[in-house]
Every structure is written in structure tokens, then in C-alpha cells.
């Protein structure tokens, strides 16, 4: 189940992604960790910080420049929930499915958002604005049910309120989109 | 006359409740009205149910205001700060007023949480002004030997607060007795139990206490390097830890010959966890720091002998370490004054679920569960009936209402089949279905199993399938026995704590609520009216306005009725999805 969630439906091969990411962005990161013990996870975390996910090319580059083995990196990247192998939406909605939130009925809220955005757990909306994820406990259990969008945590939610917050973000996105074009 | 001080609680929970906006609003009005008062920040005092919390200190005393959202700021400034007339309705506690909610603090003894909510966590000076780093100074000034430090920890009787409850002093002794030129001390801040958040609160509210705890441990066992392994889901905790570590370095509290103790060198760094519950297990955590998949290793050798990069390593969790400076400074007897014979000191509990006063409480060991829930926690929300409490998260178990006189200490809790764990208490009322809760936990452990041990990997999956089947009304005779059998096999044949304890929620719910399982299997009924697939939905004719909202929402067209006419649900078409119930604005759908 865990693995299913992390590996994207179709593994994004580099040809289908129009732009190849700028790999030089990783140089300072590699410089910093190259010779340290136990650097695999910090390198992957740093890479994900730069691109929002770990692009295929980044694995190859890490392999070339640090000597870390591809199978080991892939093994680690698919083991931990944090790592993403395909690009995520601009806003990541983390719905807490921890115990407290479960008991307080978060499932109904996830369903509501899932319907609203027409995505399932782990998926990204077509316009690449939202990714919906379920996580285990955001540490605000006494305000359950809780969701986190970006850095902001929203507590004591109802399905209605949650969808209001998401709609609001979507409206702002559309607005900036219009201004730009 | 002293300057009035406004202190806003800015922990993660406060921020989620809008404390950030409250804080900004105080700043804005102060500037706009050119007022002269000081604004400070602190972290969480544990009273999450009344967040955002604001404390105002002026010449007449201290006032703790609750639920201060942006809209109330103006009024508070106007009345309290400008005109010196506090607003009793909003006050939780002050010297003169005491609201009902203040009972939350009665009976609490704050050792671990001594500074949380009282100091600015980003200021080392404030930590020191409340006795911070005094324990290290005491060790240095009195030439306290490492044996004496370890003896103090042993004498205090403190047991690991992360789950197992192993005496911390023993662990230290083992790590000390293994000779090596390099040793490590690790702080386990990978709080994985969904429903517990004391470690987050301590890291956000009093990071220096954990760092000082690590220093003392390093001194005692002879370690020169430290790691704090913290969940990435706690960005604020990581930020504040980083600030605290920088401050400690600048002051020379980390580095070479610290506190003037010759050859006592220590460097501490943070490792961000990447999201895996199994990393709460010591050996898996070590594997993760080494950059590998977080899979547990066989013990022995124990980490005290061969841990991180094969060197002797001591691992304690956040809550344990936060207690250490207090114990060293005040003496082990002071700590051992609290608690029961075999469980000394205090313990922090996270109260969540269907409880009125959700938040963090710290109580002496030995208090009853009932007292925690009713006296401090204010009882059950919405006047519902208390059914059970889940203690110890996914590794723990359900304790039913009739055992709520159980006292909290390691052994009494273990006797019920639950475990103390990290101290997450999820309170359930009559509307919570225990079979569903058991299914929820198995879903969690099944996803989090690292896959190394066959029985844990496959067994939890099979158990989840059976439980799902039961909650969907497809349970079979013999399912309960099958669950029990698989559960015991998993317990017996798993390498680490995750597998050994994963079946606990199922076993305890079967033990205490067997009739509920049977109702699901035999009668296809969910007594708590929670399992959707087992409910029937009906329209209450008197309430139905014929608005058609339910009919439009129904995915299988199981609802008939003309506009403005009473609707009707076709039971043989209905798939029990519950959409009509959520769509109805007139309370016209009944569940049974
Ligand atoms: S269970 Fe949802 S925040 Fe902890």
C-alpha cells in the first residue's frame, strides 16, 4: 500500500516532461554532502526541496557525482513516505488521518475535498494546482480534524469549511493566472 | 509602573487556531495607536482547546485569556490595556477570576513541561533565567563524576517515556560500560504515534531542555557526538531546535571543554526523518541516520554496544531527556517523590478525541484514567457517554469505561493489554465504533510495516482484510478466532516492536468489546451507528421539505420524490454511501 502510493501511476520518463530540470541547482547540495557519512537521505531531501520531487535525471547525476548506487537510492526513495518521484501540484493538501482526526471524522472531509478536486489520495489535479495526500498526524491532534496546506495548518474543520479554504486558494490562483495573461 | 506585557502562544496548535494573526494584530494596533506595551511570544501551555491563548501581565497581576481570535484583540486592548479593566468573560485564569476551564490545571505537576508556555523558546536567556543549564553547571562546579550522574538517573527511577518504559539509567550504564573511542547520543524525536504530540510541544516550547538533557547524557556515557532525529512533519520544532543549537554553540555550551569540564566535547546535529513510523524503533532509527531504509536490525547486539556506525549509542526520546536536567538539578529524590512504586515521576498525556478539554497535561504517575478524563479533561463532549480510551497509539490498546479506575503507571496499564506508549489518550464515546478503530490501526501498521518480517508484513494485511470485511457487513463466523490466531502469530514472530505490538488494538477490542464484533458479524449491525455500510437510511417525513438536495446527490438514484414532496429512499438500490445524510440541511435523514 505504502509503495503503491509513492510510485506514480505511470513512471514519468524524462521524454514526456517537456523541460529537463536545471541540474546545476544541485551542485551546492552535492558539494556540501558529498563526503559525509550517511548522506543519502539528506541528498534526496535536498533534491526534493529544489524540484518539489526527485527527477529521474537527478538520480543519475547523484550516481555520477557521489557514487551512490541507483538501486540503493531508489530503495530509500520508495521506502519513506516523504519522497516523491513525480511532480506535485503547487499546493499540497495534507489531510491528517491520525487517530484523533479519524475519531473526529476526517474521512468525510477527505471525501469532500476529493470530490471537489476530483482526485484521489496521492493524486494531483490536472491543472497542477493541488495534490491531495493523507498523512498520519500533524501534531495538532487536539484541534482535530486537521489539514495542512503548504505551511499553514487548519484545525477544527468541517467538510464545508475545508472546501471553502480550498476553493479560496483556487480562486486566488485563477486570479493571478488571469492577471498574468 | 512597569510596562504591560502581552504574551501570545505561538506553538503549532496555536498557529493552527489563528494565533499568528492575533500576534500580528497586537502589533498592528500597538503601532497604529502608538501604545506602549511589550509583545512577546511563547509556546503552548497545553491548553489547546482554548487556543489562541494570550497572557497579559501588568501591575495588577497575570491574566490568561483564552480563544483570543483577531476580532477580540481590539476589545482586549481597549478595555484591559488602555483602561485597566480586564474582561472576565474571556479570562481563563487570573488571581481574581477563575473560569470553569481552569480546572484543567488542577492536579497537574509540571516537570517535563516546566517551561512550555512560560518562556520564549527562541531565547536562551529566558531558558537560563528559569534555571536552564544550571544542571550542567552543577555537574561542573561540584565535579560530579559520571558514575554519580548515572546513579542519580537510576535513583530517580525514570523510565523511558517513548514506549517501552525501560529504565533510562540502566541504558546509560550499559552505554558507559562499553569502551570505545567514539560514542553517540541520540534524541528520538520521531514522534510517530498519531494522536500524541507532547514531543512536538516540548521541542517547540523548550528546545534547550532537550539539548541540556543530551549534554548530561553525553557526559555520563562519554559521548562526543549527538543527533536529534526529528520528524520532517514538525517544521517549527526543527526551526526552533536549530536556533537553540546555534545559541548554545555561540555561548560555548557546545564544542570543546564545555562548561569548563576538561575533555568534555560535544557537537549536536539534527537529522530530519523522512516519514516512516518504524523509525521510532531504535535500530531502524539508526539505520535511517546511516542513510539506509529504516529497517530494524537483530538485537543483540544492542545499540549500547554496537549502535550508530557500530559504536556504542544511547537513544532516549524527547520527553525523557527533557526531564534529565530537572532531575540532576533538583536531585533524584525530588523526582521519585511523585509516582508509584515502579513508575516514578510525572507523565505527559495528550488528550484528544471526544473530550472537552483537549490538550496536554502532565500528571504524577498513579492518577486514575477517570480523573484525567473527568477532572482535567472536563469529560466527554456533547453530553455523550464515555466508551473507551485508546492508550499507546497503534501499539497500544483500548481500555473500556469500566476499567477507567485503572491508574496510570507502566505495569497497571500493561495489565489491561494496552501500553503506556508515548502517552496519547484518544477518548471515544458511544458513537465511535471500536471495530472501526481497530481497523483504522491495522490499516496504519499495515502500511507502516517495513516488510522485513513475513508475519508482520502479510499478517497485518490479512488482519486488515478481515476487519474491513467485518465493518462492511461481510464478516463470517470464525472471523474473531481467526483474527486472534493471526494476532498471536504476528506477536511471536516479529523482530521489532512494531510487529510485536501491532495486533494489540485488535486483541484488546476483542477482549473488551467482543459483543460489538459479534453484532457486526452475526446481525450485520454497528451498535455505534458508525460503520456506514451497515446502516439504513430513511427519510423523516416531518422534516423533509422536498428540496431534492439528497436526490441530486445520490450516486445511484435511490431517492424518489417530486419537488416539494416528501422523498423516499429505495432500500434495495441504496449503497449506504451516506451522501444524502451529509447533503440534507433539514435533519430529515435518519440512520438506523
Ligand atoms: S491525529 Fe491529526 S493531528 Fe494528530
Amino acid at each position: 500500500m505504502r509503495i503503491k502510493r509513492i510510485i506514480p501511476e505511470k513512471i514519468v520518463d524524462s521524454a514526456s516532461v517537456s523541460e529537463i530540470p536545471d541540474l546545476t541547482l544541485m551542485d551546492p547540495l552535492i558539494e556540501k554532502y558529498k563526503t559525509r557519512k550517511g548522506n543519502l537521505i539528506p541528498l534526496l531531501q535536498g533534491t526534493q526541496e529544489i524540484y518539489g520531487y526527485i527527477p529521474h535525471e537527478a538520480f543519475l547525476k547523484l550516481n555520477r557525482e557521489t557514487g551512490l548506487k541507483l538501486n540503493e537510492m531508489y530503495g530509500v526513495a520508495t521506502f519513506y513516505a516523504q519522497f516523491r518521484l513525480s511532480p506535485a501540484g503547487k499546493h499540497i493538501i495534507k489531510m491528517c488521518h491520525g487517530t484523533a482526526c479519524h475519531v473526529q471524522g476526517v474521512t468525510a472531509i477527505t471525501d469532500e475535498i476529493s470530490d471537489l478536486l476530483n482526485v484521489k489520495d496521492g493524486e494531483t489535479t490536472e491543472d497542477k494546482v493541488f495534490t491531495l495526500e493523507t498523512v498520519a498526524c500533524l501534531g495538532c491532534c487536539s484541534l482535530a480534524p486537521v489539514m495542512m496546506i503548504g505551511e499553514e495548518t487548519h484545525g477544527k474543520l468541517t467538510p464545508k469549511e475545508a472546501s471553502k479554504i480550498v476553493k479560496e486558494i483556487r480562486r486566488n490562483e485563477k486570479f493571478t493566472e488571469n492577471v498574468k495573461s | 509602573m512597569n510596562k504591560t506585557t502581552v504574551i501570545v502562544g505561538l506553538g503549532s496548535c496555536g498557529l493552527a487556531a489563528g494565533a499568528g494573526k492575533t500576534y500580528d494584530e497586537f502589533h498592528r494596533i500597538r503601532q497604529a495607536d502608538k501604545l506602549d506595551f511589550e509583545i512577546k511570544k511563547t509556546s503552548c501551555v497545553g491548553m489547546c482547546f482554548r487556543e489562541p491563548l494570550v497572557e497579559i501581565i501588568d501591575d495588577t497581576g497575570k491574566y490568561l485569556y483564552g480563544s483570543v481570535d483577531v476580532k477580540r484583540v481590539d476589545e482586549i486592548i481597549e478595555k484591559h490595556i488602555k483602561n485597566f479593566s480586564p474582561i472576565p468573560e474571556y479570562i481563563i485564569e487570573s488571581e481574581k477570576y477563575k473560569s470553569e476551564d481552569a480546572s484543567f490545571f488542577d492536579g497537574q505537576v509540571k516537570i517535563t513541561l516546566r517551561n512550555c508556555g512560560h518562556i520564549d523558546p527562541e531565547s536562551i536567556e529566558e531558558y537560563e533565567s528559569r534555571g536552564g543549564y544550571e544542571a550542567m553547571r552543577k555537574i561542573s562546579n561540584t565535579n560530579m563524576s559520571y558514575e554519580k550522574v548515572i546513579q542519580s538517573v537510576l535513583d530517580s527511577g525514570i523510565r523511558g517515556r517513548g514506549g517501552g518504559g525501560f529504565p533510562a539509567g540502566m541504558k546509560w550504564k550499559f552505554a558507559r560500560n562499553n569502551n570505545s573511542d567514539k560514542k553517540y547520543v541520540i534524541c528520538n524525536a520521531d514522534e510517530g504515534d498519531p494522536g500524541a504530540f507532547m514531543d512536538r510541544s516540548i521541542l517547540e516550547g523548550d528546545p534547550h531542555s532537550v539539548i541540556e538533557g543530551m549534554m548530561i547524557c553525553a557526559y555520563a556515557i562519554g559521548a562526543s557526538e549527538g543527533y536529534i532525529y526529528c520528524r520532517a512533519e514538525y517544521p517549527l520544532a526543527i526551526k526552533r531546535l536549530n536556533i537553540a543549537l546555534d545559541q548554545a554553540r555561540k555561548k560555548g555550551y557546545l564544542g570543546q571543554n564545555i562548561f569548563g569540564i576538561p575533555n568534555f566535547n560535544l557537537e549536536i546535529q539534527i537529522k530530519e526523518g523522512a516519514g516512516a513510523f518504524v523509525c521510532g524503533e531504535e535500530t531502524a532509527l539508526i539505520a535511517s541516520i546511516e542513510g539506509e531504509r529504516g529497517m530494524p536490525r537483530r538485537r543483540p547486539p544492542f545499540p549500547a554496544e554496537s549502535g550508530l556506525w557500530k559504536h556504542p549509542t544511547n537513544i532516549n526520546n524527547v520527553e525523557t531527556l527533557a526531564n534529565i536536567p530537572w532531575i540532576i538539578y533538583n536531585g533524584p529524590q525530588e523526582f521519585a517523590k511523585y509516582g508509584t512504586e515502579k513508575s516514578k515521576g510525572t507523565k505527559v498525556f495528550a488528550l484528544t478525541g471526544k473530550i472537552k478539554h483537549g490538550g496536554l497535561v502532565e500528571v504524577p504517575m498513579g492518577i486514575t484514567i477517570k480523573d484525567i478524563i473527568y477532572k482535567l479533561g472536563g469529560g466527554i463532549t456533547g453530553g455523550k457517554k464515555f466508551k473507551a480510551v485508546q492508550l499507546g497509539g497503534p501499539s497500544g490498546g483500548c481500555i473500556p469505561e469500566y476499567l477507567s479506575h485503572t491508574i496510570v503507571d507502566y505495569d497497571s496499564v500493561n495489565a489491561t493489554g494496552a501500553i503506556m506508549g508515548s502517552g496519547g489518550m484518544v477518548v471515544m464515546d458511544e458513537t465511535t465504533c471500536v471495530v472501526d478503530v481497530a481497523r483504522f490501526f491495522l490499516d496504519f501498521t499495515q502500511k507502516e510495516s517495513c516488510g522485513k518480517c513475513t508475519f508482520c508484513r502479510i499478517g497485518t494485511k490479512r488482519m486488515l482484510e478481515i476487519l474491513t470485511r467485518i465493518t462492511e457487513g461481510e464478516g463470517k463466523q470464525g472471523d474473531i478466532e481467526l483474527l486472534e490466531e493471526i494476532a498471536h502469530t504476528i506477536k511471536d514472530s516479529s523482530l521489532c516492536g512494531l510487529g510485536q505490538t501491532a495486533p494489540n488494538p485488535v486483541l484488546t477490542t476483542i477482549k473488551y468489546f467482543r459483543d460489538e464484533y459479534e453484532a457486526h458479524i452475526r446481525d450485520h449491525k454497528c451498535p455505534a451507528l458508525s460503520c456506514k455500510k451497515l446502516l439504513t437510511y430513511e427519510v423523516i417525513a416531518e422534516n423533509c421539505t422536498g428540496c431534492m438536495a439528497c436526490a441530486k446527490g445520490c450516486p445511484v438514484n435511490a431517492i424518489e420524490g417530486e419537488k416539494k414532496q416528501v422523498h423516499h429512499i429505495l432500500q434495495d438500490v441504496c449503497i449506504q454511501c451516506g451522501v444524502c445524510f451529509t447533503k440534507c440541511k433539514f435533519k430529515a435523514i435518519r440512520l438506523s
Side-chain angles (χ1 to χ4, degrees), chain A residues 1-3 5 33 36-42 45 49 71-72 74-83 94 96-105 107-108 111-112 115 121 134-144 146-148 151-156 159-160, chain B residues 12-17 21 48-49 51 184 193-197 200 229 231-235 269 271-279 288-295 309 351-354 358-359 390 426-428 432 436-437 439-441 443-444 446-448 450 532:
Chain A
M1 192 75 176
R2 159 180 287 274
I3 292 179
R5 187 155 78 102
Y33 285 105
R36 291 204 201 172
K37 271 198 288 191
N39 56 5
L40 205 172
I41 293 176
Q45 282 171 331
E49 188 121 306
N71 63 337
E72 271 169 25
Y74 191 72
V76 168
T78 50
F79 183 84
Y80 294 100
Q82 186 189 13
F83 297 116
K94 294 188 178 165
C96 176
H97 278 225
T99 322
C101 292
H102 178 79
V103 170
Q104 298 285 49
T107 325
D111 289 348
E112 174 89 16
D115 282 352
D121 179 15
T134 58
V135 297
C137 196
L138 296 164
C140 296
C141 322
S142 43
L143 300 175
V146 177
M147 72 173 176
M148 191 167 166
E151 295 270 284
E152 242 195 279
T153 315
H154 306 267
K156 296 203 174 149
K160 247 203 212 126
Chain B
S12 281
C13 38
L15 289 170
K21 294 193 190 109
C48 306
F49 64 103
E51 295 277 10
Y184 294 97
D193 168 5
F197 54 97
R200 171 187 66 74
Y229 186 88
R231 298 181 70 189
E233 280 89 348
Y234 290 173
Q269 48 174 305
K271 278 268 171 182
E272 265 182 56
F277 176 66
V278 67
C279 287
S288 179
I289 294 185
E290 291 174 353
E292 291 175 21
R293 296 167 70 119
M295 288 177 150
W309 287 299
L351 300 182
T352 60
K354 315 275 184 169
Q390 171 78 19
V426 184
V427 177
M428 302 178 233
T432 322
D436 175 61
V437 170
R439 189 199 58 78
F440 164 80
F441 281 119
D443 181 44
F444 179 80
Q446 180 266 135
K447 279 184 198 151
E448 294 294 339
C450 78
K532 268 191 195 164

Side-chain angles (χ1 to χ4, degrees), chain B residues 537-572:
Chain B
Y537 295 81
E538 277 160 354
V539 176
I540 306 172
E542 304 87 76
N543 293 358
C544 179
T545 61
C547 71
M548 302 196 62
C550 58
K552 276 192 211 128
C554 179
V556 290
N557 297 324
I559 305 180
E560 290 181 331
E562 295 296 308
K563 204 169 180 184
K564 300 222 169 87
Q565 301 285 313
V566 172
H567 284 46
H568 175 70
I569 301 177
L570 303 170
Q571 294 302 339
D572 42 344

